[in-house]
């Protein structure tokens, strides 16, 4: 109760302070109103204070005031000069000079309104002083201002500043009315009617005068409270806070009630009319803007008349918006709602576009109702990036090399940014990215505006970037000759090799350093002549044109004109010759349309010309053009209907004409490439609801294993209680689905999941088998796909497999088989010979990464990421024993795979180097540990009194790294030669030993789990993440510290067997030593296990007795 009362008291104090502040503000407004009324009352003609001031002035004329002609003329000149210092000087001199003979000149200077709006207050102060001294000043200034405001405004040619002067006079006369010099309030009604001349009744015979929008805005702004009686927003807010009605607040209204009502009625009617005009102007402006954008996109430019109409509509809308905003603020009214203009009927039937959330456009087909995806108009993000993400040459290349000035570069960047923002805003209102292509117009991604048929041989078409100052590269100097030679090499050798995005960008950067006017002519000639049989270069050549035409628009203009003449010239030839060149031409123009270099009207003109003939080779050209840019034009909103009509016309012609089977097939294929058949969403798949048991199984895997407070052992016990034998529940399937879902999403929970699977594998072995099958199938599916869209999911899946090996759920043979499969799949060596391998050894080689394949491009490092993920997960267990030799051999093959890649990105290169460094460091630690154990055993058996230097054992590189393909291939050849010479595979025994080793390791880990389960369960995920191998190593270290006799006896056998097998190869000797070490470690583990078991059995009776 005390707390609540204290809280209520605090709230009461805050409310009280707020009320006090509001009351203080109301008092300030009331005091300001009283001061205004007091000042006005002293300046009224009937005011006694005014009469006393004038009488005092008359009495001091002869004694105190000076009637100096020179100073009086200077006074008038300073008024006409209109400076701040001059007006202030006039205010000071008014008290000293006798200006009764210069009243007319002073009134004329003030009425001419040569002063600025900021000087109005000083002019009002001057008028107050003159009014309190000279009786005839008031009548003269009032009549002069009335005449000036009510007279017809001069034309712009006669006086460009007439409107500005009139607005200053309106403010000036309102200020004079507030202080009491101007008293005719009926004049303001006449003035407002004059300003609203446009809205006179239509039956009046006199011609309508245009409405002075800015004059009305000024009148309402400065006379809203004094003349019209509007209450400001500030006063309304104060009334709401004080809980008073607005009528009770102090008002500054001075005019009579009749004038106030008349002015308020006219202003309200004007505001409503202006709101309607604003809505209409906004709608007309948006319609004209939309149509002009459509015309630009279709034809590349708009006519001069349409541009003028668009500019006038925009200017009218902006002026109306500014005036209505000012009136609404002064009148405390709401702005009208400006809805977007409705689309044309033609556009309304087309496509709808929505913002996908990540900045991209997701286009949805009206006809099929299917989502195209985040790739927008191009199907997938990679293709969209190829067509839209163009490099900025102004940032990559010095501006001086491009032959433009910094001012021109800034102008270009501003135009690119405006076009980019314009495209984004168009996506919200239902438009697509056609603004980019429309702005490109005649072929320039940076300028545009010229028609596609125009050709300017002199330089830039419409950007103002002139090349007159450039010097050709054929002057004969050695430097120019070298530059000319580099250009020839670039155009003859590098240009035909531009087969991908990286090479195209590199070519454009190299060309910019060789840019001249003659170089651009040679480039255009080379771009027109696409090599024979290389029609796939049309897309990359078009990207070159799109990049360079942003700076040099004449490249696109001349290229499009040449392709157009070539197309119509070839179309006139009715024979079947040069069909390949014709198809190459239409594909080239189609790619330019997709890049926005050419307007879509080019494609529709070509389609119209081809469908008029529709015979022989024209059918092939029509199909090629539709397959190139038909889908793009179909998805654009403003070309959708036109493209749909083209498809319908093509189908009618196909049915009417007697075409052969081949032509009918290619037309049908082109049709479905533009307009794919409809298909059901979600594939018609019905989702059956999960039972409570199935939901609980998924809950244990997806949430309990992800909870740091839960225990893996408890999860295993809960899963074992579920009905695994029930075919209806099918617990095994749902556990596998939950595990795979966690592998794709919960990356950090994979060790806990693998620990749980290892515990379940003893009771349900088929669970791990089926899960491994699904993992391998998913990895295989990822390797089969040339486009890696689920890289992160596959990385999580292979890490799960590595964690399963860490917890003894799978064998090392499976892991190494997967590693080799990842780097070898798709690189099958054609028999009977391999690359660089003799014929007799070729039969034993199945894979070579140097063999090209579509599923593993030379610039794709996805498989390397999978290998690094597996090695980072379980590679620490492969740096000792027999698996160390396997790992060393695999790393050799892996390095050969990496050396076949053209380019390795930095982030992947760092990941690979980190993996190699980690394995190297772990191998060194393992070798050092092994050597230290051997030295300690030798010291205990008194065979050697000297300690062995461990650093000498681990000197050098354990896993060899190669810098070139020749060195690594030589090592691999030696491996293959050994396999070819030995008929029986030498690794067979190793595999058997590894299998035996894995079985023993699995048994030891299972026994360790049972032992820990009997003694004490793991209570947290931190304990659950510890591997069984750690316990094994600690027990082994304890046995070594005890120095048991059995260890000494086993160590004595090692030198004897080494003496008996001196003639064995080094590899066999290492294998025998490893077998001996495994037997020794097994004995040590058996003794440790028996010791722990006895302790647990002996502690059981004591625990029972105590309980």
């Amino acid at each position: 109760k005390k707390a609540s009362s204290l809280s209520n008291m605090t709230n009461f104090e805050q409310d009280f302070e707020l009320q006090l502040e509001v009351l203080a503000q109301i008092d300030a407004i009331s005091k300001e109103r009283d001061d205004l009324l007091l000042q006005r009352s002293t300046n009224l003609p009937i005011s006694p204070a005014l009469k006393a001031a004038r009488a005092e002035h008359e009495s001091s004329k002869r004694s105190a005031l000076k009637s100096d002609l020179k100073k009086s003329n200077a006074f008038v000149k300073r008024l006409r000069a209109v400076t701040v210092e001059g007006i202030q000087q006039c205010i000071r001199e008014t008290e000293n000079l006798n200006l009764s003979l210069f009243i007319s000149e002073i009134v004329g200077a003030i009425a001419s309104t040569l002063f600025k709006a900021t000087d109005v207050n000083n002019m009002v102060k001057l008028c107050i002083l003159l009014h309190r001294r000279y009786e005839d000043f008031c009548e003269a200034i009032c009549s002069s201002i009335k005449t000036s405001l009510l007279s017809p405004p001069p034309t712009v040619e006669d006086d460009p500043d007439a409107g500005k002067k009139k607005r200053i006079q309106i403010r000036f006369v309102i200020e004079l009315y507030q202080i009491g010099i101007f008293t005719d309030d009926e004049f303001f009604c006449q003035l407002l009617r004059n300003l609203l001349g446009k809205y006179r009744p239509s039956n009046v015979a006199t011609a309508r005068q245009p409405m002075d929008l800015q004059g009305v805005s000024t009148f309402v702004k400065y006379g809203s409270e004094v003349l019209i009686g509007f209450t400001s927003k500030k006063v309304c807010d104060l009334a709401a806070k004080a809980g008073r009605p607005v009528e009770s607040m102090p008002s500054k209204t001075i005019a009579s009630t009749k004038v106030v009502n008349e002015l308020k009625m006219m202003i309200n009617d004007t505001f409503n009319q202006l709101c309607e005009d604003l809505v209409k102007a906004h709608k007309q402006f948006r319609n004209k803007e939309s149509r002009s954008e459509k015309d630009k996109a279709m034809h590349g430019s708009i006519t001069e008349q349409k541009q003028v109409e668009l500019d006038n509509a925009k200017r009218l809308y902006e002026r109306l918006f500014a005036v209505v905003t000012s009136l609404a603020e002064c009148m405390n009214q709401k702005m009208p709602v400006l809805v977007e203009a409705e689309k044309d009927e033609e556009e309304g039937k087309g496509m709808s576009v929505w913002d996908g959330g990540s900045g991209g456009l997701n286009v949805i087909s009206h006809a099929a109702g299917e989502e195209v995806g985040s790739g927008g108009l191009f199907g997938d993000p990679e293709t969209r990036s190829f067509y839209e993400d163009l490099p900025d040459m102004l940032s990559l290349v010095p501006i001086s090399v491009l032959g433009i000035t910094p001012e021109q570069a800034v102008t270009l960047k501003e135009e690119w940014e405006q076009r980019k923002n314009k495209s984004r805003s168009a996506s919200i209102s239902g438009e697509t990215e056609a603004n980019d292509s429309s702005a490109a117009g005649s072929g320039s991604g940076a300028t545009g505006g010229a028609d596609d048929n125009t050709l300017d041989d002199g330089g830039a078409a419409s950007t103002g970037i002139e090349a007159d100052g450039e010097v050709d590269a054929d002057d004969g100097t050695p430097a120019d000759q070298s530059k000319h030679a580099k250009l020839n090499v670039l155009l003859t050798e590098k240009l035909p090799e531009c087969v991908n995005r990286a090479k195209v960008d590199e070519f454009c950067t190299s060309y910019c350093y060789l840019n001249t006017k003659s170089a651009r002519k040679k480039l255009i000639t080379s771009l027109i002549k696409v090599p024979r049989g290389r029609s796939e270069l049309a897309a990359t050549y078009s990207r070159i044109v799109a990049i360079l035409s942003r700076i040099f628009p004449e490249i696109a203009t001349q290229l499009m004109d040449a392709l157009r003449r070539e197309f119509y010239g070839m179309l006139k030839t009715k024979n079947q010759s040069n069909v390949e060149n014709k198809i190459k031409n239409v594909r080239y123009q189609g790619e330019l349309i997709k890049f926005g270099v050419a307007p879509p009207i080019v494609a529709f003109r070509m389609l119209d010309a081809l469908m008029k003939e529709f015979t022989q080779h024209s059918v092939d050209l029509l199909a090629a053009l539709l397959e190139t840019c038909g889908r793009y034009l179909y998805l654009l909103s403003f070309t959708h209907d036109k493209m749909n009509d083209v498809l319908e016309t093509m189908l009618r012609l196909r049915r009417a004409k007697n075409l052969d089977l081949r032509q009918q097939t290619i037309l049908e294929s082109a049709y479905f490439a533009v307009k794919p058949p409809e298909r059901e969403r979600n594939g018609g798949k019905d989702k059956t609801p999960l039972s409570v048991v199935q939901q609980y199984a998924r809950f244990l895997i997806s949430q309990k294993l992800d909870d740091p407070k839960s225990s893996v052992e408890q999860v295993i016990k809960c899963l074992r209680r579920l009905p695994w034998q029930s075919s209806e529940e099918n617990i095994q399937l749902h556990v596998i689905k939950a595990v795979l879902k966690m592998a794709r999403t919960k990356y950090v929970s994979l060790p806990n999941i693998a620990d749980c699977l290892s515990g379940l594998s003893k009771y349900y072995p088929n669970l791990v088998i089926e899960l491994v099958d699904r993992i391998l199938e998913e990895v295989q599916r990822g390797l089969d796909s040339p486009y890696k869209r689920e890289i992160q999911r596959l990385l999580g899946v292979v890490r799960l497999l590595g964690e399963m090996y860490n917890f003894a759920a799978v064998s090392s043979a499976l892991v190494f088989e997967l590693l080799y499969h990842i780097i070898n799949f798709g690189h099958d060596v054609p028999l009977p010979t391999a690359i660089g391998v003799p014929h007799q050894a070729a039969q034993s080689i199945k894979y070579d990464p140097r063999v090209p394949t579509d599923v593993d491009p030379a610039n794709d490092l996805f498989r390397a990421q999978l290998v690094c993920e597996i090695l980072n997960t379980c590679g620490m267990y492969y740096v000792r024993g027999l698996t160390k030799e396997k790992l060393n051999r695999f790393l050799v093959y892996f390095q050969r795979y990496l050396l076949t890649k053209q380019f390795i990105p930095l982030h992947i290169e760092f990941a690979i180097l980190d993996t190699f460094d980690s394995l190297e460091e772990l191998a060194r630690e393992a070798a050092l540990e092994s050597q230290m154990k051997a030295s300690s055993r030798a010291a205990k058996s008194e065979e050697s009194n000297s300690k062995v230097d461990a650093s000498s054992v681990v000197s050098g590189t354990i896993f060899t790294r190669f810098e070139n393909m020749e060195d690594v291939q030589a090592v691999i050849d030696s491996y293959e030669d050994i396999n070819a010479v030995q008929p029986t595979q030498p690794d067979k025994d190793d595999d058997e030993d590894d299998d035996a080793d894995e079985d023993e390791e699995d048994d030891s880990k299972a026994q360790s789990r049972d032992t820990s389960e009997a003694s004490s369960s793991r209570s947290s995920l931190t304990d659950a993440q510890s591997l069984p191998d750690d316990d094994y190593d600690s027990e082994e270290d304890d046995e070594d510290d005890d120095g048991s006799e059995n260890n000494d006896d086993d160590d004595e056998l090692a030198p004897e067997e080494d003496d008996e097998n001196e003639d064995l190869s080094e590899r066999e000797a290492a294998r025998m030593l490893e077998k001996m070490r495994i037997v020794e470690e097994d004995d040590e583990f058996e003794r440790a296990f028996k010791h722990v078991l006895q302790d647990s059995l002996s502690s059981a009776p004591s625990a029972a007795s105590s309980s």
Side-chain angles (χ1 to χ4, degrees):
K1 291 181 180 179
K2 290 182 179 180
S4 60
S5 61
L6 182 61
S7 177
N8 294 334
M9 185 178 297
T10 303
N11 295 333
F12 176 76
E13 291 178 354
Q14 293 178 355
D15 296 340
F16 183 72
E17 292 178 357
L18 182 61
Q19 290 294 329
L20 289 179
E21 184 180 356
V22 171
L23 292 176
Q25 294 180 4
I26 293 176
D27 292 340
I29 295 175
S30 179
K31 184 178 179 181
E32 183 181 355
R33 191 269 314 268
D34 295 340
D35 294 342
L36 178 63
L37 294 178
L38 179 61
Q39 185 182 14
R40 176 179 173 79
S41 63
T42 57
N43 293 324
L44 291 175
I46 60 175
S47 173
L50 178 63
K51 294 180 179 179
R54 288 177 178 175
E56 181 182 358
H57 176 72
E58 290 292 336
S59 62
S60 61
K61 268 186 181 181
R62 298 178 181 179
S63 59
L65 300 180
K66 298 179 181 180
S67 299
D68 192 347
L69 180 62
K70 183 177 181 181
K71 290 184 178 181
S72 299
N73 289 329
F75 182 92
V76 176
K77 289 182 180 179
R78 276 193 293 270
L79 282 181
R80 295 184 184 277
V82 188
T83 60
V84 178
E85 295 80 5
I87 296 176
Q88 292 177 354
Q89 181 68 21
C90 291
I91 293 174
R92 290 192 295 267
E93 291 181 353
T94 303
E95 300 177 357
N96 301 325
L97 294 177
N98 182 10
L99 302 173
S100 58
L101 300 178
F102 296 90
I103 294 299
S104 59
E105 287 82 355
I106 293 174
V107 170
I110 295 175
S112 62
T113 320
L114 299 178
F115 52 90
K116 301 178 182 178
T118 55
D119 299 329
V120 171
N121 293 330
N122 291 330
M123 280 294 182
V124 171
K125 292 180 182 179
L126 179 62
C127 291
I128 292 175
L129 295 177
L130 295 174
H131 174 64
R132 295 176 69 86
R133 284 166 173 78
Y134 307 103
E135 184 178 359
D136 54 347
F137 173 77
C138 177
E139 183 179 357
I141 190 67
C142 291
S143 61
S144 178
I145 292 178
K146 285 182 180 180
T147 304
S148 178
L149 287 175
L150 297 180
S151 61
T155 61
V156 179
E157 291 79 7
D158 297 338
D159 188 2
D161 298 332
K164 181 179 179 181
K165 291 180 179 179
K166 189 170 186 178
R167 292 191 295 272
I168 295 175
Q169 288 178 351
I170 292 173
R171 178 184 174 184
F172 182 64
V173 73
I174 293 175
E175 293 288 344
L176 292 180
Y177 180 76
Q178 291 183 12
I179 62 176
I181 297 178
F182 189 87
T183 58
D184 186 8
D185 52 1
E186 295 286 343
F187 166 76
F188 292 106
C189 297
Q190 188 177 1
L191 173 62
L192 185 58
R193 294 191 194 97
N194 184 271
L195 295 175
L196 301 177
K198 181 179 179 180
Y199 293 94
R200 290 181 178 179
S202 58
N203 55 1
V204 178
T206 57
R208 294 183 179 182
Q209 296 180 358
M211 178 180 178
D212 189 358
L213 294 176
Q214 295 180 346
V216 173
S217 177
T218 303
F219 182 87
V220 175
K221 180 178 180 181
Y222 293 100
S224 59
E225 295 186 42
V226 178
L227 296 172
I228 312 175
F230 290 126
T231 305
S232 64
K233 185 178 180 182
K234 178 181 178 181
V235 176
C236 293
D237 295 341
L238 288 176
K241 292 180 181 179
R244 299 181 181 180
V246 180
E247 293 78 8
S248 64
M249 298 296 290
S251 176
K252 297 181 182 180
T253 305
I254 302 174
S256 61
T257 306
K258 177 182 178 182
V259 173
V260 169
N261 294 334
E262 186 176 357
L263 291 176
K264 186 177 293 186
M265 182 183 63
M266 287 190 292
I267 292 298
N268 288 331
D269 294 342
T270 302
F271 179 76
N272 295 333
Q273 185 66 36
L274 287 176
C275 289
E276 296 179 2
D277 291 344
L278 177 63
V279 173
K280 293 179 182 179
H282 176 263
K283 182 178 180 180
Q284 293 177 359
F285 168 63
R286 292 305 180 189
N287 286 335
K288 290 182 181 295
E289 186 181 34
S290 176
R291 291 173 183 174
S292 64
E293 292 297 334
K294 182 177 179 180
D295 292 341
K296 278 186 179 181
M298 288 293 295
H299 303 282
S301 62
I302 60 176
T303 60
E304 184 178 356
Q305 181 181 359
K306 290 184 178 180
Q307 184 65 42
V308 172
E309 293 177 356
L310 177 63
D311 294 341
N312 293 335
K314 181 179 180 181
R315 192 179 301 109
L316 176 61
Y317 163 68
E318 291 176 350
R319 291 182 62 186
L320 283 174
F321 184 81
V323 172
V324 173
T325 303
S326 178
L327 292 178
E329 183 179 356
C330 297
M331 299 170 62
N332 198 15
Q333 297 289 335
K334 294 182 180 180
M335 286 287 294
V337 179
L338 301 178
V339 296
E340 293 295 331
E342 297 181 358
K343 295 183 180 179
D344 296 338
E345 294 182 359
E346 297 180 356
E347 292 189 20
K349 301 176 183 178
M351 311 299 295
S352 62
V353 182
W354 58 281
D355 192 351
S358 59
L361 298 178
N362 289 337
V363 186
I364 301 177
S365 174
H366 263 269
E370 62 173 353
E371 184 178 342
V372 178
S374 60
L377 303 172
F378 305 100
D380 59 87
E382 293 182 4
T383 307
R384 177 180 178 178
S385 177
F386 177 79
Y387 283 100
E388 293 184 354
D389 297 340
L390 304 179
D392 184 8
M393 291 292 108
L394 297 178
S395 301
L396 299 177
V397 180
I399 299 178
S400 59
V401 176
L402 299 174
I404 62 177
T405 61
E407 292 77 11
Q408 293 171 341
V410 172
T411 303
L412 284 177
K413 287 188 176 182
E414 290 178 354
E415 291 177 358
W416 299 347
E417 189 65 26
Q418 291 176 0
R419 199 160 21 257
K420 191 175 181 180
N421 297 334
K422 197 174 185 181
S423 176
R424 291 176 180 174
S425 62
S427 66
I428 301 175
S429 62
E431 294 292 336
T432 60
E433 297 167 1
N435 291 327
D436 290 341
S437 61
S438 67
S442 61
S444 171
T447 55
D451 190 78
D452 62 315
N453 295 327
T454 61
L455 181 62
D456 184 10
D457 296 331
S462 60
T463 58
I465 298 178
E466 300 294 339
D468 297 338
E470 299 179 0
V471 181
D472 292 346
D474 302 329
D475 296 339
T477 61
D480 293 335
Q481 292 178 358
S482 175
K483 193 174 183 180
H484 181 69
K486 292 180 181 180
L487 179 63
N488 289 335
V489 172
L490 190 68
L491 297 180
T492 57
E493 298 181 6
K494 299 295 183 180
L495 183 59
E497 298 300 326
C498 293
V499 294
N500 54 34
R501 176 178 177 176
K503 290 186 176 181
V504 167
D505 298 347
E506 181 182 358
F507 172 84
C508 294
T509 305
S510 301
Y511 170 79
C512 288
Y513 284 97
L514 305 175
N515 170 58
T516 58
K517 185 182 294 186
S518 62
R520 288 197 292 273
K521 293 180 180 179
K522 294 179 181 179
L523 175 65
I524 294 171
T525 304
S526 301
L527 289 174
I528 293 173
K529 299 178 181 178
V530 180
R532 184 181 180 88
R534 300 288 302 277
S535 59
E536 73 278 0
L537 293 178
T540 55
Y541 277 29
S542 299
R543 181 177 173 87
I544 294 174
V545 176
I547 293 173
L548 295 179
S549 62
R550 302 174 73 187
I551 306 174
F552 313 111
E554 69 271 15
I555 294 178
T557 305
Q558 297 180 21
L559 179 67
M560 283 301 303
D561 187 70
L563 291 175
R564 180 183 60 83
R565 291 196 300 265
E566 182 182 1
F567 170 76
Y568 288 105
M570 292 187 301
L571 197 61
K572 292 180 180 179
T573 59
K574 305 298 182 181
N575 54 14
Q576 294 285 348
S577 61
N578 297 327
V579 177
E580 181 183 358
N581 291 335
K582 298 176 182 179
I583 294 177
K584 182 173 60 179
N585 181 282
V586 297
R587 289 188 183 276
Y588 203 165
Q589 296 192 60
E591 293 292 343
L592 291 173
I593 292 171
K594 292 170 70 174
F595 274 102
V597 175
I601 192 63
V602 175
F604 288 113
R605 290 171 180 171
M606 295 168 62
L607 291 171
D608 183 61
L610 292 172
M611 284 191 294
K612 284 182 179 179
E613 294 189 7
F614 210 75
T615 55
Q616 298 179 355
H617 63 285
S618 61
V619 175
D620 298 336
L621 298 182
L622 178 63
L625 183 59
L626 290 177
E627 291 175 354
T628 304
C629 62
R631 180 66 174 170
Y632 172 82
L633 297 175
Y634 183 80
L635 294 179
L636 283 177
S637 61
F638 55 87
T639 59
H640 171 76
D641 289 341
K642 194 171 183 64
M643 195 67 212
N644 209 7
D645 296 340
V646 170
L647 294 177
E648 294 178 359
T649 305
M650 184 189 70
L651 291 180
R652 290 196 299 268
L653 291 174
R654 175 175 172 269
R655 290 190 294 265
K657 299 289 184 178
N658 186 17
L659 303 177
D660 57 15
L661 181 61
R662 184 190 68 84
Q663 293 176 335
Q664 293 181 7
T665 304
I666 63 174
L667 288 178
E668 183 178 358
S669 176
Y671 176 83
F672 286 114
V674 176
K675 192 176 181 180
E678 300 181 11
R679 58 184 179 184
E680 296 182 1
R681 286 184 176 270
N682 299 328
K685 183 179 179 181
D686 296 332
K687 292 186 177 180
T688 58
L690 299 177
S691 65
V692 178
V693 178
Q694 293 170 352
Q695 294 178 9
Y696 179 66
R698 295 199 176 195
F699 165 77
L700 292 174
I701 298 297
S702 60
Q703 297 189 25
K704 295 297 290 183
L705 289 178
D706 193 36
D707 187 5
K709 297 181 180 180
S710 61
S711 172
V712 177
E713 294 297 339
Q714 293 296 331
V715 174
I716 294 175
K717 290 180 181 179
C718 293
L719 287 172
R720 288 181 58 191
R721 295 191 183 101
L722 299 180
W724 289 77
Q725 291 77 18
S726 175
S727 59
E728 296 179 356
E729 299 295 344
N730 201 356
I731 301 300
Q732 179 172 312
L733 174 63
H734 290 280
V735 169
I736 291 175
K737 288 185 177 181
V739 168
L740 290 177
K741 185 176 181 180
M742 290 286 288
R744 301 185 187 107
T745 56
K746 301 288 186 178
Y747 193 79
V748 295
S749 302
L750 294 183
N752 306 326
I753 296 175
D755 191 8
C756 181
L757 293 172
S758 177
L760 292 174
S761 62
K762 297 186 301 181
Y763 310 101
Y764 313 105
N766 291 335
L767 172 66
V768 175
I769 295 175
E770 185 175 352
L771 177 61
V772 171
D773 288 342
R774 290 197 174 221
I775 291 175
L776 296 179
E777 289 175 0
E778 189 160 350
V779 173
Q780 182 62 40
R781 181 172 62 88
L783 297 178
D784 289 334
S785 176
Y787 299 104
K788 310 299 183 298
R789 302 178 184 176
E790 302 177 354
I791 295 178
Q792 192 61 37
R793 298 179 61 180
L794 291 177
L795 290 176
V797 169
V798 297
R799 193 194 175 193
L800 173 61
L801 186 64
E803 294 291 350
M804 291 174 65
Y805 171 78
N806 294 343
F807 287 91
V810 297
S811 64
S812 63
L814 176 64
V815 177
F816 277 103
E817 183 179 356
L818 178 60
L819 289 172
Y820 279 106
H821 182 71
I822 289 174
I823 64 174
N824 289 334
F825 177 74
H827 298 285
D828 300 349
V829 178
L831 298 177
T833 59
I835 300 177
V837 181
H839 175 74
Q840 59 271 18
Q843 298 296 334
S844 61
I845 299 178
K846 297 181 180 180
Y847 306 102
D848 192 328
R850 292 173 292 177
V851 177
T853 177
D854 294 336
V855 296
D856 187 20
N859 57 351
D860 187 12
L861 272 297
F862 164 68
R863 300 190 180 191
Q865 291 179 273
L866 292 180
V867 172
C868 291
E869 187 66 31
I870 296 175
L871 293 180
N872 291 334
T873 304
C874 58
M876 71 284 292
Y877 301 110
Y878 297 149
V879 295
R880 64 182 72 197
L882 295 177
T883 55
K884 178 180 177 182
E885 180 65 24
K886 285 187 175 184
L887 178 61
N888 189 14
R889 183 167 183 172
F890 170 74
L891 291 179
V892 174
Y893 282 89
F894 183 49
Q895 291 183 70
R896 181 181 68 170
Y897 173 80
L898 294 176
L899 290 173
T900 58
K901 298 299 180 181
Q902 296 178 353
F903 173 73
I904 301 179
L906 287 179
H907 67 284
I908 298 180
E909 182 180 359
F910 290 155
I912 295 171
L913 293 177
D914 291 342
T915 302
F916 274 84
D917 293 341
S918 176
L919 294 176
E920 183 74 21
E921 183 179 357
L922 293 172
R924 286 178 177 275
E925 293 177 357
L928 179 60
E929 181 183 355
S930 177
Q931 183 60 29
M932 294 299 293
K933 289 181 181 180
S935 61
S936 62
R937 291 171 184 171
K940 291 177 182 179
S941 62
E942 297 180 356
E943 292 183 359
S944 174
N945 296 326
S946 60
K947 296 183 178 181
V948 180
D949 186 8
S951 61
S952 62
V953 179
V954 295
S955 62
T957 303
I958 297 179
F959 300 116
T960 308
R961 302 188 187 184
F962 301 92
E963 298 293 337
N964 52 63
M965 179 63 72
E966 291 75 13
D967 296 340
V968 68
Q969 187 61 39
V971 178
I972 293 177
D973 290 341
S974 64
Y975 290 157
E976 303 299 342
D977 291 341
I978 295 174
N979 294 336
V981 171
Q982 296 179 0
T984 59
Q985 296 181 358
D987 294 337
K988 184 176 181 180
D989 297 335
D990 297 341
D991 296 338
E992 294 177 356
D993 295 338
D994 291 342
D995 295 338
D997 184 28
E998 293 293 338
D999 294 339
E1000 294 174 359
E1001 185 179 2
D1002 296 343
D1003 295 338
S1004 65
K1005 293 179 179 179
Q1007 292 174 0
S1008 177
R1009 180 184 297 279
D1010 294 337
T1011 303
S1012 62
E1013 193 176 40
S1015 58
S1016 60
S1017 62
R1018 290 170 287 186
S1019 59
S1020 65
L1021 286 179
T1022 307
D1023 298 330
Q1025 291 177 356
S1026 61
L1027 301 180
D1029 290 345
D1030 298 339
D1031 299 333
Y1032 180 88
D1033 294 338
S1034 62
E1035 293 172 3
E1036 183 181 10
D1037 295 339
D1038 294 339
E1039 293 293 335
D1040 292 338
D1041 295 338
D1042 294 340
S1044 63
E1045 296 179 359
N1046 292 331
N1047 287 338
D1048 298 338
D1049 296 338
D1050 293 336
D1051 293 336
E1052 293 176 359
L1053 296 176
E1056 295 178 2
E1057 292 192 4
D1058 290 340
D1059 295 337
E1060 293 176 359
N1061 299 288
E1062 292 179 353
D1063 55 342
L1064 295 178
S1065 63
E1066 181 180 354
R1067 185 174 182 180
E1068 294 177 353
R1071 188 184 302 115
M1072 292 181 64
L1073 289 174
E1074 186 66 24
K1075 289 181 180 179
M1076 292 171 60
R1077 188 188 65 79
I1078 293 172
V1079 172
E1080 178 185 348
E1081 293 177 353
D1082 291 342
D1083 294 340
E1084 293 175 0
F1085 177 76
E1086 184 177 359
R1087 288 193 298 273
F1089 176 72
K1090 290 179 180 179
H1091 179 68
V1092 173
L1093 185 60
Q1094 289 176 1
D1095 292 342
S1096 63
L1097 293 176
S1098 61
S1099 61
S1102 60
S1105 61
S1106 62
S1107 62

